[in-house]
Each structure stands twice: as structure tokens, then as C-alpha cells.
Amino acid sequence: QKEVEQDPGPLSVPEGAIVSLNCTYSNSAFQYFMWYRQYSRKGPELLMYTYSSGNKEDGRFTAQVDKSSKYISLFIRDSQPSDSATYLCAMSYTNAGKSTFGDGTTLTVKP
Amino acid sequence: EAGVVQSPRYKIIEKKQPVAFWCNPISGHNTLYWYRQNLGQGPELLIRYENEEAVDDSQLPKDRFSAERLKGVDSTLKIQPAELGDSAVYLCASNSMGGPETEAFFGQGTRLTVV
């Protein structure tokens, strides 16, 4: 069993929809939780990171961490075709150590 | 400001041949990472450098993979000999030493195909 499991998708939604992307993990020692966006044939780019439990909002994106359930989510409001990409969750024990990535969820937002 | 630069972007080689990838991190970034990303999977760390020192190479298959970071700037990752299973995207990332790895910046990657 992998340490980080991500809903595999793919996910296809109409423009303007609210998107929910989710990951579960097994290691309670993880403290830092990240979401990356990866466009086709590009490297991942960091969207947001959260320390410990709680919510964090940045524009149309909201990250939630529930450490008691070992569950994290990324919500995208008013989704746009430009949001079409693969979304990777990642987690680490410290803020300067190795990150463990999920396998990604591919999102397509249709105009 | 230029991002992390990797070359080549694509490489096709026959199995048992050697191959090398090059990375130029963002100026001033002391920490450099090499990741491997298999198709349909997330990146997996191969090696992490702090300046010239490899501080985490526990996931690097040392029988065929080697890496170096001379002068603490550019880095090269080498595979010799390559195997079919090495086909993947090799990603380089960098950030400031002491800065959170959560803020690492990735290059576009080198897509390796071993035939």
C-alpha cells in the first residue's frame, strides 16, 4: 500500500463547476501538505501548501487538511478550461525534506 | 528571471547505452533535487544536494545511476547502462537552502525513452 493515495480520475467537468480533488495518507508524521499542478509535458508547479490541519484559500483555490482522518482536499471554484491539468498532492515530514507524491488526478474543464 | 533549465528535453537511446541529463538551477538556489516520474505516477526523489553535498541519495540506484554537482551550481545525472525500465521523465528542482522544500521550483524535465 502506498503512503499517499490519490483519487485517480480522470475527471471531466463543465466550465464554472466546483472541482474537488482528494488524497488520503497513512503516515501520521506528515506535517506539510502540498498541491501541484502539472500541465502536459511540463514540470509540476506549486499551487499551495498547508502546515498541519486547517484550510487555506488562494483565489479560486482552497486547500483543506484533516489530519484526524488523514485526508486532504483541493477545491477549485468557477473552474476554467485553463485549469485542465494533472493535479498532484504531496506531503512531507518537515519543510526541508523529501516529499512523497500521489499519482495525480487529471482534470479536464470543458468550455 | 529564468527558471530551472534542463537539457535535453527528449532523449531516445538503446538499452545498455549511457545517457546524461543536465540541470541548471535558479540562480542563488543552493538546494537541488533530481526526481524520476514514471508515466501516470507522481515524482519520486532520486537525490538531493545542498551545495555540492549529496544529503539524501537513498533512492538513487547506485549500481547504474550517478550524479554530480560540481561547484554547487549545475548538476548532471547519468545512467550507465540504461535499461528499458528507466524510461521516464527526469525532473530537476531547486530552492534556497534552508527554505522549505515545499517551495521548490521544477524544470520541464527530460523525457527518456529506452528502446
Side-chain angles (χ1 to χ4, degrees):
Chain A
Q1 183 183 4
K2 291 187 175 183
E3 278 191 297
V4 179
E5 298 278 0
Q6 187 167 357
D7 289 351
L11 196 58
S12 180
V13 301
E15 183 175 355
I18 296 175
V19 176
S20 172
L21 303 166
N22 308 295
C23 289
T24 59
Y25 61 96
S26 58
N27 192 334
S28 58
F30 286 134
Q31 296 286 343
Y32 292 83
F33 305 91
M34 290 75 75
W35 285 97
Y36 288 84
R37 178 175 61 197
Q38 186 173 25
Y39 292 114
S40 180
R41 300 189 182 276
K42 301 289 186 181
E45 58 176 327
L46 179 69
L47 280 176
M48 304 176 70
Y49 79 89
T50 308
Y51 172 70
S52 194
S53 287
N55 295 355
K56 188 173 184 179
E57 186 173 324
D58 184 1
R60 297 184 295 108
F61 299 87
T62 299
Q64 287 187 352
V65 175
D66 181 349
K67 292 191 70 179
S68 63
S69 301
K70 299 189 181 69
Y71 189 87
I72 71 170
S73 299
L74 178 71
F75 296 95
I76 307 174
R77 292 184 299 278
D78 187 24
S79 56
Q80 302 295 308
S82 59
D83 295 328
S84 298
T86 295
Y87 290 80
L88 298 156
C89 65
M91 307 175 189
S92 65
Y93 306 121
T94 72
N95 67 353
K98 184 183 85 169
S99 289
T100 300
F101 284 80
D103 287 338
T105 300
T106 298
L107 170 68
T108 301
V109 181
K110 296 183 177 180
Chain B
E1 178 182 331
V4 177
V5 179
Q6 292 188 244
S7 69
R9 288 292 314 278
Y10 305 92
K11 190 75 176 178
I12 301 174
I13 61 170
E14 293 183 343
K15 62 182 181 182
K16 300 184 181 180
Q17 293 302 305
V19 65
F21 316 123
W22 175 81
C23 173
N24 178 238
I26 292 173
S27 178
H29 281 191
N30 306 96
T31 303
L32 183 146
Y33 312 81
W34 281 104
Y35 286 85
R36 176 170 59 189
Q37 187 174 22
N38 292 314
L39 186 64
Q41 297 183 14
E44 294 179 319
L45 182 70
L46 292 173
I47 189 168
R48 177 167 67 100
Y49 282 94
E50 297 283 358
N51 294 311
E52 303 89 357
E53 182 182 1
V55 297
D56 183 356
D57 63 355
S58 57
Q59 302 301 310
L60 189 71
K62 297 180 184 63
D63 57 337
R64 296 184 300 108
F65 286 66
S66 65
E68 61 181 8
R69 191 182 184 199
L70 299 177
K71 302 181 181 179
V73 181
D74 295 357
S75 178
T76 303
L77 178 69
K78 297 179 181 177
I79 308 175
Q80 182 171 12
E83 298 180 350
L84 295 176
D86 296 330
S87 294
V89 176
Y90 291 83
L91 294 162
C92 179
S94 71
N95 70 345
S96 299
M97 189 164 67
E101 193 258 351
T102 52
E103 294 183 355
F105 294 84
F106 282 84
Q108 296 195 78
T110 296
R111 183 176 297 270
L112 174 67
T113 302
V114 182
V115 297

